[in-house]
Amino acid sequence: QVQLVESGGGSVQAGGSLRLSCVFAGYTYSTSCIGWLRQAPGKEREGVALTGSTKTYYADSVKGRFTISIDNVKNTLFLQMNSLKPEDTAMYYCAAARHCVVASSMVREVPRFPFSGQGTQVSVSS
């Protein structure tokens, strides 16, 4: 069982930055995928970023603004979000899958990963 706990959400103005954290347990970086997804009110879940086997991939909507990183010593996944826009407003979740092939096409599969946390809210005002 993989356990994930997110934190770091909040309210910012457009153009601002936030850093989300996800503490995980039961996850092995070398053979798995871990990433971030989000869900805005009334919308479907969207894969945002993915990392595994030293590779990282992003959804087009956040590329160049968001950075995913992992600290395997502290068992923590991060999402640095810069140049935030009102359309980034959503509940953000980290999610993980074991025995995953890390590829750009897997970003959209992050919402289907079997393990996810409770989420942290991000609100961006204009």
Side-chain angles (χ1 to χ4, degrees), residues 8-75:
S11 298
V12 297
Q13 289 190 330
S17 298
L18 281 173
R19 189 192 197 201
L20 305 184
S21 299
C22 171
V23 177
F24 56 84
Y27 169 81
T28 302
Y29 183 71
S30 62
T31 60
S32 306
C33 299
I34 192 167
W36 293 92
L37 65 106
R38 66 187 180 186
Q39 186 168 26
K43 295 188 177 181
E44 294 186 355
R45 290 188 165 197
E46 174 191 19
V48 172
L50 171 71
T51 187
S53 301
T54 73
K55 301 175 183 177
T56 59
Y57 296 101
Y58 301 92
D60 289 343
S61 57
V62 306
K63 202 171 294 183
R65 300 187 297 121
F66 290 12
T67 302
I68 188 172
S69 61
I70 191 166
D71 184 332
N72 283 301
V73 174
K74 296 182 178 179
N75 283 358

Side-chain angles (χ1 to χ4, degrees), residues 75-113:
N75 283 358
T76 305
L77 179 74
F78 300 100
L79 185 68
Q80 178 66 44
M81 305 186 295
N82 299 328
S83 302
L84 282 162
K85 305 175 181 180
E87 51 263 43
D88 294 319
T89 295
M91 185 71 81
Y92 283 73
Y93 304 84
C94 58
R98 293 196 176 106
H99 309 298
C100 170
V101 176
V102 183
S104 59
S105 59
M106 288 299 293
V107 176
R108 60 175 177 265
E109 299 299 324
V110 176
R112 297 181 180 81
F113 285 4

